[in-house]
Amino acid sequence: MQPFDRPDLLLVDITQSFAAAFGLILGGDPAFLSIVGLSLTVTLSAVSVAALIGLPLGALLALARFPGRGAVIVLVNALMGLPPVVAGLLVFLLLSRSGPLGPLGLLFTPTAMVVAQALLVLPIVIAITRQLTEDLHAEYREHLASIGLTGFRAIPTLLWDGRFALATAILAGFGRASAEVGAVLIVGGNIAGYTRTMTTAIALETSKGDLPLALGLGIVLILLTLAINAVTYGASRVGARFAG
């Protein structure tokens, strides 16, 4: 008799799995914490890299005028929906032994995972920064010019004025990176104790039938997503209050 032939047994199994999952979370299992810690480290690093590159690039794209600017904006917006597996493949080709950065030996390391996630987050940061900076510049152009902030010299002021909205963009990028599985699986290899993140571990442990570990990581991931959305909402409310 299969377990799904007895709904009562299936319910007991699921209940026990949830109980074991909460036990892993509350018990501070070292392997469990290692996976969560690596996931947060990789994601935070990737978002930081994307923000450092994307904020100035987005602002420059907002104020610059050059032939083909419209095509660049369309391309950046399109890359916001870049499939993770495609990003992973591109980074894999870049870091593989025959690739241009192959000699660095970064493939199947946390660094490769940071690069892949940063590639996914970067278009989001650039696109939102570009739109926000463009709107702010259109609104305050005359005021900025009156105090001598014309052209690219206005970028620091515009970024500061839009900091709350930009924080929301960065948090959105964090949400995309933290829930990503395809790219990090391709470039990280899902190596236990080294490159195994929450999303890749959930996929693996579910296929192996280790529901407690998969559920425990899933619960942490859901709580993390809720926390990100709460902070995003709070940042938007604070920004609206300051703007008002």
Side-chain angles (χ1 to χ4, degrees):
M1 179 181 295
Q2 298 294 327
F4 49 78
D5 292 332
R6 290 285 304 276
D8 55 332
L9 295 179
L10 181 60
L11 180 61
V12 170
D13 183 61
I14 293 176
T15 302
Q16 290 176 344
S17 296
F18 270 102
F22 282 108
L24 288 173
I25 297 172
L26 300 177
D29 180 75
F32 182 89
L33 294 178
S34 174
I35 294 172
V36 174
L38 177 65
S39 297
L40 291 176
T41 300
V42 169
T43 300
L44 288 172
S45 299
V47 172
S48 298
V49 171
L52 287 173
I53 298 174
L55 291 175
L57 282 182
L60 285 172
L61 184 58
L63 301 185
R65 294 295 180 268
F66 55 89
R69 177 177 177 271
V72 173
I73 292 176
V74 170
L75 177 62
V76 170
N77 290 339
L79 288 176
M80 291 176 66
L82 179 68
V85 290
V86 175
L89 177 60
L90 293 175
V91 176
F92 180 90
L93 294 175
L94 185 68
L95 301 180
S96 64
R97 288 188 177 182
S98 58
L101 299 182
L104 297 178
L106 297 178
L107 194 61
F108 303 130
T109 67
T111 302
M113 297 158 64
V114 170
V115 173
Q117 287 196 354
L119 184 61
L120 290 171
V121 176
L122 185 59
I124 297 175
V125 177
I126 293 177
I128 296 179
T129 302
R130 194 275 310 170
Q131 185 62 63
L132 176 66
T133 305
E134 199 169 282
D135 292 343
L136 287 174
H137 187 255
E139 183 175 356
Y140 298 111
R141 183 197 306 269
E142 294 183 1
H143 174 69
L144 291 170
S146 68
I147 58 177
L149 296 178
T150 57
F152 295 149
R153 286 183 294 178
I155 287 179
T157 300
L158 291 171
L159 290 178
W160 176 253
D161 287 344
R163 60 192 181 278
F164 294 108
L166 293 175
T168 302
I170 293 172
L171 289 170
F174 183 89
R176 174 164 167 80
S178 64
E180 199 286 314
V181 59
V184 296
L185 185 62
I186 292 174
V187 303
N190 200 22
I191 303 170
Y194 187 50
T195 61
R196 183 163 296 171
T197 63
M198 285 190 285
T199 52
T200 58
I202 289 171
L204 176 65
E205 301 305 328
T206 301
S207 66
K208 289 167 54 180
D210 188 353
L211 290 182
L213 180 54
L215 285 171
L217 293 170
I219 291 169
V220 171
L221 196 56
I222 290 173
L223 292 176
L224 182 61
T225 302
L226 289 173
I228 292 170
N229 280 276
V231 173
T232 301
Y233 178 76
S236 64
R237 294 286 294 178
V238 170
R241 181 175 301 177
F242 272 82

